Amino acid sequence: MTETMHDRLRKRLKAVNMVPNEASLAAGLSRGYLQSVFNREKTGGGANIRELAKLAPVLKTTVTYLINGEGPETASTPASEAIPAPVSPQPPVPHAPSRYLPVYGLAAGSVTGMLTMTNDAIEEVPSPEVLARVRDAYAVIVTGSSMEPRYTAGDYVFVHPHKPIRQGDHVIIQEARDGGTVVSIKRFERLTDTHLVTVQYNPPEEVKFPRDQITAMHRVLTSNEVAGV
């Protein structure tokens, strides 16, 4: 059987006696990064070359070995290894993001269409500058139509988990349901003793969430905040 990149990652983890979460943190990545790479194995998903360049020194190997199995498996000073250049030269990007944000599942557009949120990131996206140094910042993909025209299916929204929430802010709501975490996006209105009261746009109506089921509520950044203006 042909050895894959995932096989080589597992091989190096065993060689350095580390588990995926431990290696991810040692490389300066999110705790669940390597596990999310392994979770995408059956769908052909791989790892970003920038993240492999961070993992290689931790795993005492080289980027080239991890990608295609060529060259020596071990390296005494892998941190000095140059990252292979892309096949097609890319123009320099001004103000390139200093990090990538994890995308943790999908925000359903209506209460009946809620989806369970996975613990591991399903992908990573470039971070807006405003979130580049914010601990635990993340992004969510919108599904459904209940927040149109403000948000449409497929939109990425960027979330600041530590920003104060005010009336009228759009929020990501995480609920504990059926052994998992359900996530939705709504406009925050108020809190009562028993419920979080929100609004959706399509159709316009008030939506209430029992407070005892809510595990987190985080503010979605506005387009101006994401753009840094």
Side-chain angles (χ1 to χ4, degrees), residues 8-180:
R8 290 187 287 273
L9 284 168
R10 292 190 182 93
K11 186 177 181 181
R12 293 311 305 162
L13 282 170
K14 184 176 181 180
V16 298
N17 194 29
M18 298 180 80
V19 296
N21 287 351
E22 181 183 7
S24 297
L25 290 174
L29 302 171
S30 63
R31 178 182 178 84
Y33 177 75
L34 256 181
Q35 189 58 55
S36 69
V37 171
F38 292 139
N39 290 345
R40 297 194 298 269
E41 182 174 7
K42 292 183 179 180
T43 61
N48 186 293
I49 191 171
R50 299 187 186 189
E51 278 63 54
L52 288 178
K54 296 177 181 179
L55 284 164
V58 174
L59 300 179
K60 297 181 180 180
T61 186
T62 66
V63 175
T64 302
Y65 172 77
L66 291 175
I67 292 175
N68 53 34
E70 296 180 356
E73 177 184 338
T74 60
S76 57
T77 56
S80 64
E81 180 191 21
I83 301 175
V87 175
S88 300
Q90 300 294 320
V93 179
H95 307 297
S98 57
R99 63 176 281 201
Y100 283 72
L101 296 182
V103 180
Y104 287 110
L106 307 178
S110 68
V111 175
T112 57
M114 287 180 178
L115 298 177
T116 300
M117 183 177 180
T118 59
N119 291 325
D120 298 313
I122 59 173
E123 62 176 309
E124 293 186 330
V125 294
S127 171
E129 187 61 31
V130 68
L131 292 178
R133 294 171 182 82
V134 174
R135 178 172 52 86
D136 299 326
Y138 62 99
V140 175
I141 304 173
V142 176
T143 64
S145 60
S146 76
M147 293 305 287
E148 293 179 353
R150 182 64 180 84
Y151 300 109
T152 59
D155 285 349
Y156 283 72
V157 296
F158 294 93
V159 183
H160 193 312
H162 309 297
K163 278 273 189 182
I165 297 171
R166 303 161 298 184
Q167 184 180 21
D169 285 339
H170 293 92
V171 293
I172 293 296
I173 303 157
Q174 298 178 25
E175 293 182 275
R177 287 196 184 186
D178 300 325

Side-chain angles (χ1 to χ4, degrees), residues 164-171 186-189 219-220 222:
I165 297 171
R166 303 161 298 184
Q167 184 180 21
D169 285 339
H170 293 92
V171 293
K186 293 287 180 279
R187 192 185 76 201
F188 172 75
E189 288 299 307
R219 187 158 83 80
V220 175
T222 67

